[in-house]
Amino acid sequence: MSSKSRAWDYFKKTNEKFAKCSLCKREFKLSGNTTNLIDHMKRKHNEVWMWSSTVSVTQDVDTTEQNEKMGPSPKKRNTLKNYFDRSSKYPDGKTKQNLDNKYVRMIAVDMEPLRKGEHEGFRDFVNALDSRYEIPDTTILKKKLLPEYYENVKQKLVIALSKAEHVSVTTDLWTSIANEGILSVTCHFFHNEKLIAPLLEVVKMEGSHNAENIASMLDATLSKWDIRSKCEAITTDNAQTMINAAAKLHIRHIPCFAHTLNLTVSDSFAVTCLDQILKKCKSIVTFFKMSTLASDKLRAIQRELNKPELKVIQEVPTRWNSAYHMLQRIVTMKTELTLALNECNRAPPGVNADEYLIIQETIQILEPFDLATTKISGESYITLSLIIPLIRGIKTKLVEVESQIVTESGNKILLCMKGSVDKRLSPYESRTPVVLATILDPRFKKKGFKTSDDEKRAGQWLEKAYASHLTKERLAVEETQPTPSTSSGTSNDLLGFLDVPDVSTPLSNSLVDVRQYLEKPVIDRKECPITYWKYTNNKLKELAMLYLCIPASSVPSERIFSKAGQILTERRNRLKEKRLNELLFIKQNSCYFND
């Protein structure tokens, strides 16, 4: 049996008399052989033809005999596919566009430099994965692909915001490595039954960072995204300029609870004995951070004692709870640090036994604040309703810890902390949005409040807010609909007065709905409040969605600056505002609106 001509690797019969070239799509007449086809390959596609001639061709032998003598025959190689895999590039089309989008997203999400595609090692790696993909030029990436991807995600966010009934925002200011003031604005709302926190934009602050300028930039941002009338609250740190900016916009202000917790803890550090101990701990940490010999000695001791090779943690005022983590780590490494300090020259004085006892008591006192800060700093779940229950939990834990404190210094720290809690945290328990969010959270309802008076007040506030909500809704409906006729029918119908519909007041409706809601048992704390309200038919759901979308902290905006700090480095300090905004926007939002 004669072997099949190699020409048929590149041609396909269109009918009995003609065959089409797979490379150039031209048709050729058949004359009982493949001479015309081979001649065309040699004239027009000689490189392909010569390359394929080096590929061994499987001979046509009897299959049964081959299986018996040599085993199964190897698969014949698809020479056309192999050639394209090795030598050609993807044309501009859907596949190329999809790969370009993945590349752009990688640059933004992984915070890679825009010139990543020029790195030799990365290019070799991509070529090994798929030689047909050509990494876009840096200029094309900056001027075309990145803006296009940004616009794509932006349009999806615009559509999502247009469907949202209520939104809240967080904002914060940051000074970049280029010594430029940058304002970030994140937005929080329910989308597809989930709470999301997309970035709206980061903008450079020109001029003074006063309340007027901040309010002006916030107003411009909210108007640009068409959410000015939907914005229910602004959550910021406790800076007076931020509070004044919210007041100028006539939008309710929520002070960042995480920031307030940090201020509460900082008050206790003012106690003389603790302040001195903190200074000593900082000097120890600095010593091991600055001395390679000391660090080497510490690691050697850890290995000798079969302890994990942990590092000391430095307290940084701008990092919440870092002092707590520093003290916690020093207690964990107590033995290793003591031995290392004794063996190092010019080492600072170590912590003595009495000081270690005070540190351990301080850690007990600070632990609930650390837990509360972590809990309140989330973005993907409801946080405003957690504030009052967390305050109650902190107060309860401090009472429990009191019986375990044995030192005079520990008691002073605890007393100072209790006073700071009453001063800084208790005001949250009388803030309307916080109270309503707590009682509208089906995990807490009235159980989130400490006293029966607080429960009663929360119920009354909810009834009042719900009645006001229903009144506004009724007025809006009456403005769009004609007043119904009150005629009782024909004049000889003595019972016509019964046909007049009952007129319920918003207050009576609110009392019924609120009472029914509060009488039902609370749901499990692990369940999602959004799911609960999804299957609720009364209009109390609308009020719940309004307050539960408000974030309890400005951490989302501060996280944006943590990411910005990894993008705006010393090597990239000239990155333009527009480019920074695009990169951060894609990084923060592509997880919500990815292809």
Side-chain angles (χ1 to χ4, degrees):
M1 183 180 292
S2 61
S3 61
K4 184 179 178 182
S5 172
R6 285 194 295 115
W8 293 113
D9 289 339
Y10 308 99
F11 286 83
K12 184 177 181 181
K13 281 187 177 182
T14 55
N15 53 48
E16 289 297 321
K17 295 184 178 182
F18 289 88
K20 180 184 288 188
C21 176
S22 299
L23 299 177
C24 63
K25 309 303 181 185
R26 288 183 61 184
E27 285 191 352
F28 294 89
K29 188 176 182 180
L30 298 172
S31 302
N33 54 49
T34 59
T35 302
N36 289 346
L37 309 186
I38 294 173
D39 182 63
H40 170 71
M41 288 299 298
K42 289 181 177 180
R43 286 187 295 105
K44 298 296 184 180
H45 310 295
N46 187 55
E47 185 182 353
V48 179
W49 183 254
M50 293 302 293
W51 177 84
S52 64
S53 68
T54 63
V55 180
S56 60
V57 180
T58 305
Q59 299 297 323
D60 249 2
V61 296
D62 183 75
T63 309
T64 306
E65 183 182 348
Q66 184 182 30
N67 287 343
E68 291 176 355
K69 294 182 179 181
M70 304 175 62
S73 61
K75 275 189 177 180
K76 186 176 179 179
R77 297 174 67 180
N78 187 328
T79 56
L80 181 61
K81 179 180 182 299
N82 287 341
Y83 177 79
F84 270 105
D85 284 347
R86 294 191 180 190
S87 62
S88 63
K89 300 297 181 182
Y90 286 113
D92 290 336
K94 190 172 182 180
T95 301
K96 178 71 162 58
Q97 184 180 11
N98 181 55
L99 290 172
D100 284 345
N101 285 339
K102 296 295 184 184
Y103 176 67
V104 173
R105 186 174 185 275
M106 180 206 73
I107 293 292
V109 172
D110 295 342
M111 293 180 286
E112 296 286 356
L114 297 176
R115 296 185 179 276
K116 179 73 174 179
E118 299 177 12
H119 296 178
E120 182 181 352
F122 179 70
R123 295 185 69 87
D124 288 345
F125 178 67
V126 172
N127 186 63
L129 290 177
D130 188 351
S131 60
R132 297 191 65 187
Y133 178 61
E134 186 173 11
I135 300 174
D137 179 79
T138 303
T139 302
I140 295 175
L141 172 66
K142 291 193 294 185
K143 294 187 176 180
K144 182 178 184 292
L145 299 181
L146 187 62
E148 285 179 355
Y149 196 101
Y150 167 81
E151 286 297 330
N152 181 38
V153 178
K154 180 181 176 181
Q155 290 307 312
K156 292 177 181 179
L157 177 55
V158 168
I159 294 171
L161 285 171
S162 67
K163 297 177 181 178
E165 295 183 7
H166 310 286
V167 303
S168 294
V169 299
T170 73
T171 188
D172 199 10
L173 271 168
W174 175 66
T175 302
S176 72
I177 194 170
N179 202 29
E180 294 176 335
I182 297 177
L183 183 79
S184 70
V185 184
T186 66
C187 187
H188 304 254
F189 62 99
F190 294 109
H191 175 65
N192 292 337
E193 298 171 11
K194 292 181 180 180
L195 183 63
I196 65 174
L199 170 68
L200 293 183
E201 61 182 0
V202 291
V203 291
K204 186 166 70 173
M205 281 283 295
E206 300 286 354
S208 177
H209 296 177
N210 54 35
E212 289 78 8
N213 285 344
I214 294 173
S216 176
M217 297 197 73
L218 283 173
D219 186 58
T221 299
L222 297 178
S223 300
K224 173 183 174 181
W225 289 90
D226 197 24
I227 57 172
R228 181 68 174 83
S229 60
K230 298 179 180 181
C231 187
E232 303 295 340
I234 298 177
T235 305
T236 75
D237 59 25
N238 293 274
Q240 192 60 47
T241 52
M242 289 294 186
I243 298 172
N244 294 342
K248 289 180 179 296
L249 293 171
H250 303 289
I251 300 176
R252 63 165 60 97
H253 176 264
I254 306 295
C256 174
F257 187 64
H259 186 217
T260 307
L261 283 171
N262 187 52
L263 293 175
T264 304
V265 171
S266 297
D267 290 344
S268 68
F269 293 165
V271 177
T272 305
C273 60
L274 183 57
D275 183 56
Q276 293 173 349
I277 292 174
L278 283 172
K279 288 179 180 178
K280 179 178 284 190
C281 292
K282 288 179 187 178
S283 66
I284 292 172
V285 172
T286 302
F287 176 70
F288 284 103
K289 290 283 187 182
M290 300 297 292
S291 172
T292 56
L293 293 176
S295 297
D296 291 341
K297 176 63 69 175
L298 178 61
R299 284 191 291 269
I301 292 173
Q302 288 171 332
R303 286 193 291 268
E304 287 179 18
L305 297 176
N306 199 24
K307 295 286 186 73
E309 293 187 23
L310 302 175
K311 295 182 178 180
V312 289
I313 298 174
Q314 184 63 280
E315 187 262 346
V316 181
T318 55
R319 292 184 182 177
W320 300 339
N321 297 339
S322 60
Y324 167 78
H325 295 143
M326 178 185 70
L327 295 176
Q328 197 176 44
R329 180 58 58 86
I330 282 178
V331 169
T332 302
M333 300 172 63
K334 175 181 177 181
T335 303
E336 306 96 289
L337 287 173
T338 302
L339 293 173
L341 288 171
N342 288 335
E343 296 184 22
C344 291
N345 295 325
R346 300 180 181 178
V351 180
N352 60 44
D354 291 337
E355 290 170 336
Y356 266 119
L357 184 56
I358 295 173
I359 290 175
Q360 288 172 331
E361 291 180 343
T362 302
I363 290 173
Q364 285 182 282
I365 296 170
L366 296 182
E367 184 181 16
F369 294 90
D370 180 63
L371 295 172
T373 301
T374 302
K375 189 70 175 176
I376 211 70
S377 300
E379 296 181 10
S380 60
Y381 54 86
I382 294 166
T383 55
L384 190 68
S385 61
L386 294 173
I387 292 179
I388 291 177
L390 285 176
I391 293 174
R392 182 177 177 184
I394 288 171
K395 290 180 178 179
T396 302
K397 286 292 183 181
L398 292 180
V399 171
E400 294 174 0
V401 168
E402 188 172 7
S403 61
Q404 304 171 26
I405 303 299
V406 296
T407 67
E408 182 181 352
S409 297
N411 281 313
K412 285 182 179 180
I413 295 168
L414 180 61
L415 184 64
C416 179
M417 190 66 77
K418 285 182 176 180
S420 186
V421 166
D422 290 335
K423 174 186 173 183
R424 294 189 181 274
L425 301 187
S426 293
Y428 281 95
E429 296 176 302
S430 58
R431 285 183 174 272
T432 302
V434 180
V435 171
L436 293 180
T438 304
I439 199 169
L440 285 168
D441 191 323
R443 298 171 298 177
F444 307 130
K445 296 186 179 181
K446 287 186 176 181
K447 289 181 69 175
F449 300 93
K450 185 177 181 181
T451 66
S452 57
D453 289 340
D454 291 338
E455 293 177 8
K456 184 178 179 180
R457 181 189 61 180
Q460 292 172 344
W461 285 12
L462 178 57
E463 290 170 0
K464 183 178 178 181
Y466 188 38
S468 175
H469 176 74
L470 292 177
T471 300
K472 291 179 181 178
E473 189 176 70
R474 171 178 288 186
L475 291 174
V477 171
E478 289 176 353
E479 288 178 0
T480 58
Q481 294 182 354
T483 305
S485 174
T486 57
S487 173
S488 61
T490 57
S491 58
N492 59 355
D493 186 1
L494 296 177
L495 299 178
F497 66 89
L498 296 174
D499 297 331
V500 178
D502 293 333
V503 179
S504 59
T505 65
L507 181 59
S508 62
N509 287 337
S510 69
L511 291 174
V512 173
D513 289 344
V514 170
R515 188 171 300 167
Q516 288 178 346
Y517 164 69
L518 293 178
E519 286 178 353
K520 293 179 182 178
V522 297
I523 64 175
D524 189 273
R525 281 192 290 119
K526 295 180 181 178
E527 293 186 37
C528 179
I530 305 173
T531 304
Y532 172 90
W533 286 111
K534 175 184 176 182
Y535 298 104
T536 302
N537 295 321
N538 63 44
K539 294 185 179 298
L540 197 59
K541 170 184 178 180
E542 299 172 4
L543 198 66
M545 294 296 100
L546 187 158
Y547 286 102
L548 294 180
C549 75
I550 301 174
S553 75
S554 59
V555 171
S557 278
E558 294 175 24
R559 287 197 178 113
I560 295 297
F561 292 140
S562 295
K563 297 166 186 174
Q566 297 178 59
I567 295 174
L568 279 177
T569 61
E570 289 186 4
R571 295 182 62 184
R572 306 175 70 189
N573 59 32
R574 292 183 297 172
L575 196 67
K576 300 297 183 184
E577 173 194 353
K578 178 177 180 292
R579 201 76 65 221
L580 176 65
N581 181 56
E582 290 173 344
L583 291 169
L584 288 172
F585 187 89
I586 294 171
K587 176 170 178 59
Q588 179 72 8
N589 300 344
S590 60
C591 61
Y592 304 126
F593 308 105
N594 200 8
D595 294 334

